[in-house]
Amino acid sequence: MAAASSGDPGGSVKRRLPEFMDPTNQFGELTFLQMTGKDGAQLPINPYIIGKSVEACAGGEIEDARTEANGTKYTLHVRNPTQVAKLLKLTKLIDGTEVEVVPHPKLNISRCILSSSELIRMEEKDILAEMSSEKVIRVQRITKNEGGKKVNTPALILTFCTTTYPETMKVGLRRLPTRPYFPNPMLCYGCFSYGHTRIRCPGPQRCVNCSNNFHGDECSEASLCWNCKGDHRPTSRQCPVYKKEVDVIKIKVRENISFPEARKRAELQTGGSYAQVAAQQNALEKKLLDLEAAMVKKDQEIARLQEESKRKDEKNEQMMSFINQVKQQNVHQHQHRSNEQSASQEKPRHREQKIATIATTGSITRSRNNSPAIQETKRGRLPKSDSNKPVTSPNTSPPPKTKKATTGTFDLTEMDYSEEEPEVSETTSKQRFR
């Protein structure tokens, strides 16, 4: 499979400086050379021997160099055309090892896509004849199937014999832009592994659905991917291995490097191999499923707790209503008891006042009865001031007794002092009060 150049025209292989600033062409477009041992001979294991031999032949340092095929090949990156011409003549290293230097068979070409509706009816060979002056070595049209027939599209794949392709191409009087070409990953439709075709497939033929050994065109088993072990067909474009292959191709095209080197860079970027990436993808999917199940359980638990909280709130409302009713009843009972206590306290007060009044009246009566005038009167004598007056016998009939006033006191002017009333002592009043 031919290599493609960078998506950015030239990418890392384009000129470092414009031509008017680089008269010696030391920073021109990158050219790739491949150095191998002649007739399958092994290159020296000492890298300093190879480095000194190449720099001595080129007359100075070159841009860079990479190893291929486990060190059996060297890819030389050269920008100066003069150095390219000298290195193509290199046949022997300083230690005597015979080598062969040739242009790289894959990295010295580039590809791009040009879309033009004006070229849709032209033949590919006629378009190539018109574009050969711009170093185009191949023209391939992109077609599509409509009703079982191939139909031309305006898109053309142009292959250049340089490491870069132009940003624009002139078609007649128009200048049209180009864009990078990224080929699809190479999938074998025999074993459904990436990296080779069915013609060169070393493995057994597998089923396109379940990835087991081939057992016919129809398969009723569950889909299984041979590459990532996912639940989809190996031809699915949602497969993580397919996406990884797309990334490798993009790195290869943009950096204009070989597939093994692009694959290493892709693994460094993602931090693992394809099998590890697929396993990580499956692990992530499993974690997502576990998280979804856990979320469902949590939602159910939350719903249950909300229902319990609702029931508890209703129960609390009932309890608060009952407590309020009890409080109101207690308030009414307390008021009733207070009223009763007030009434019971008023009665002893009236009795105390009445007893106090009676006690006061009794003391006054005793004091009157003990006076000298009353004592003389009781003995049938008159006071000295009235000695000239005739003595009359006292009226033996007692005057009518007066009733107690509403205020609880007696009228002392109308009382009968002829008879001695019983004394009311303080102890008697206390006994009455009791």
Side-chain angles (χ1 to χ4, degrees), residues 33 54 57-58 62 76 78 83-90 101:
L33 303 178
V54 171
C57 178
I62 61 174
L76 308 179
V78 187
Q83 291 181 336
V84 172
K86 290 181 180 180
L87 290 173
L88 289 174
K89 298 178 182 179
L90 179 62
V101 179

Side-chain angles (χ1 to χ4, degrees), residues 61-336:
E61 295 183 356
I62 61 174
E63 177 76 12
D64 196 6
R66 305 283 176 85
T67 59
E68 293 184 8
N70 296 326
T72 59
K73 298 180 182 179
Y74 264 81
T75 301
L76 308 179
H77 302 185
V78 187
R79 291 189 179 273
N80 192 335
T82 304
Q83 291 181 336
V84 172
K86 290 181 180 180
L87 290 173
L88 289 174
K89 298 178 182 179
L90 179 62
T91 58
K92 187 179 292 188
L93 302 179
I94 58 176
D95 67 340
T97 303
E98 294 184 355
V99 296
E100 184 180 7
V101 179
V102 296
H104 200 283
K106 296 181 178 180
L107 299 182
N108 284 314
I109 62 175
S110 59
R111 290 180 177 180
C112 68
I113 294 179
L114 176 69
S115 295
S116 174
S117 58
E118 299 174 355
L119 302 176
I120 196 169
R121 293 182 179 86
M122 289 185 63
E123 296 291 336
E124 296 177 4
K125 60 181 180 179
D126 297 334
I127 299 173
L128 177 61
E130 297 293 337
M131 293 184 176
S132 59
S133 60
E134 300 188 37
K135 299 182 179 180
V136 177
I137 59 176
R138 186 182 178 188
V139 176
Q140 183 180 359
R141 185 179 296 280
I142 297 176
T143 60
K144 62 180 180 180
N145 292 325
E146 288 186 359
K149 296 181 180 180
K150 290 184 178 181
V151 180
N152 292 340
T153 64
L156 298 170
I157 302 174
L158 306 181
T159 304
F160 295 83
C161 62
T162 59
T163 55
T164 61
Y165 60 86
E167 296 182 4
T168 60
M169 289 287 294
K170 190 174 182 181
V171 179
L173 298 176
R174 299 179 62 193
R175 186 164 289 278
L176 303 177
T178 60
R179 66 176 188 269
Y181 168 69
F182 300 109
N184 292 326
M186 185 181 296
L187 177 65
C188 174
Y189 284 88
C191 67
F192 295 102
S193 298
Y194 288 97
H196 62 271
T197 61
R198 188 172 184 175
I199 298 175
R200 298 179 179 180
C201 178
Q205 187 175 0
R206 295 188 176 94
C207 176
V208 70
N209 182 53
C210 64
S211 298
N212 293 324
N213 292 333
F214 183 75
H215 50 265
D217 296 333
E218 295 182 0
C219 179
S220 59
E221 297 183 9
S223 298
L224 178 65
C225 178
W226 170 257
N227 298 293
C228 71
K229 311 305 179 184
D231 55 350
H232 55 263
R233 289 191 170 194
T235 56
S236 174
R237 295 196 173 187
Q238 301 301 321
C239 177
V241 177
Y242 173 84
K243 294 179 180 180
K244 190 67 178 179
E245 287 290 331
V246 172
D247 294 339
V248 172
I249 290 173
K250 288 182 178 180
I251 293 173
K252 179 189 181 305
V253 170
R254 288 179 180 141
E255 301 296 332
N256 199 10
I257 56 179
S258 63
F259 269 110
E261 188 173 355
R263 197 178 301 280
K264 289 180 181 179
R265 293 191 183 185
E267 291 178 0
L268 290 175
Q269 291 178 3
T270 57
S273 62
Y274 296 121
Q276 293 174 347
V277 171
Q280 292 176 359
Q281 184 73 16
N282 294 335
L284 289 175
E285 291 178 356
K286 185 178 179 181
K287 286 183 179 179
L288 288 175
L289 293 176
D290 294 340
L291 288 175
E292 290 178 357
M295 289 296 294
V296 171
K297 289 182 179 179
K298 286 187 176 181
D299 292 340
Q300 294 176 355
E301 184 68 15
I302 290 171
R304 185 184 65 80
L305 293 176
Q306 288 177 347
E307 187 67 23
E308 289 183 359
S309 178
K310 185 177 179 181
R311 288 198 300 268
K312 287 182 180 180
D313 292 340
E314 293 177 353
K315 190 174 181 179
N316 290 337
E317 289 178 359
Q318 294 177 359
M319 291 293 295
M320 292 301 297
S321 177
F322 176 74
I323 290 171
N324 292 332
Q325 292 178 1
V326 172
K327 284 183 178 180
Q328 292 178 0
Q329 291 178 1
N330 292 336
V331 169
H332 292 317
Q333 290 178 1
H334 181 70
Q335 291 178 353
H336 182 68

